[in-house]
Amino acid sequence: MEAGSGVGDDTTPREVIHFITQQTRFSLISDILAHPQQLPAMYELEELNPSVSDATVYKHIQKLIDAGIVTEVALDDDQRRQGYPWKFYGLTQEGREFLEEHNLLAAEETLQQIYDTISDKPEKMVKYENAPRPNEE
């Protein structure tokens, strides 16, 4: 989204809600909330959205980052392991507070329960789920 469209600036809550609830972006936020550590890697987000191209997933994550809803966190160099992801995506504190304030986190527990029932995850996705994550949000 353009400059001036983040959670903490002069954009109206209605504009931010409209931005967040765009179908692909809201699906990505739901995927983050459903993830066991609430820090999925890009591959996991792509796998959870098979009807959307990888480029589109990336584009919408970048828009959510630019808006201050999502943040990219990375493992320190000494924590990275070959064959495992090292960049992850989670909600910012401001993003979580905005979602909470506007009752958009009500289904968080249900999303996590649904995620736990996915039984046909690719082996790579299971491997990535169990990858080390940074200790920060």
Side-chain angles (χ1 to χ4, degrees):
M1 216 162 152
E2 309 304 326
S5 61
V7 173
D9 60 23
D10 60 358
T11 304
T12 68
R14 182 179 174 151
E15 291 171 320
V16 177
I17 290 170
H18 179 73
F19 171 77
I20 288 171
T21 58
Q22 183 277 342
Q23 183 177 354
T24 302
R25 288 189 284 268
F26 199 66
S27 177
L28 292 168
I29 289 170
S30 296
D31 295 337
I32 290 169
L33 290 170
H35 190 270
Q37 293 86 22
Q38 294 193 341
L39 280 176
M42 183 61 67
Y43 171 79
E44 293 171 287
L45 293 171
E46 293 164 353
E47 283 295 307
L48 292 167
N49 293 279
S51 64
V52 180
S53 75
D54 294 354
T56 299
V57 170
Y58 180 80
K59 177 181 82 171
H60 284 287
I61 282 292
Q62 283 306 129
K63 287 182 176 193
L64 289 165
I65 290 170
D66 292 345
I69 304 294
V70 169
T71 187
E72 178 184 276
V73 293
L75 288 171
D76 293 333
D77 289 344
D78 63 339
Q79 295 177 308
R80 296 178 188 178
R81 293 177 22 202
Q82 188 170 352
Y84 285 89
W86 57 275
K87 284 185 181 178
F88 306 93
Y89 301 89
L91 293 179
T92 62
Q93 187 61 41
E94 295 81 11
R96 178 171 275 286
E97 289 169 3
F98 183 86
L99 293 171
E100 180 77 42
E101 181 180 329
H102 294 88
N103 203 29
L104 295 172
L105 289 180
E108 183 175 9
E109 186 176 323
T110 303
L111 291 168
Q112 291 170 352
Q113 291 170 353
I114 292 168
Y115 186 95
D116 289 342
T117 66
I118 301 171
S119 60
D120 60 346
K121 295 176 193 167
E123 186 177 327
K124 182 177 178 181
M125 189 167 164
V126 173
K127 176 183 174 180
Y128 276 34
E129 267 181 25
N130 295 308
R133 298 293 197 279
N135 292 330
E136 59 186 276
E137 289 189 16

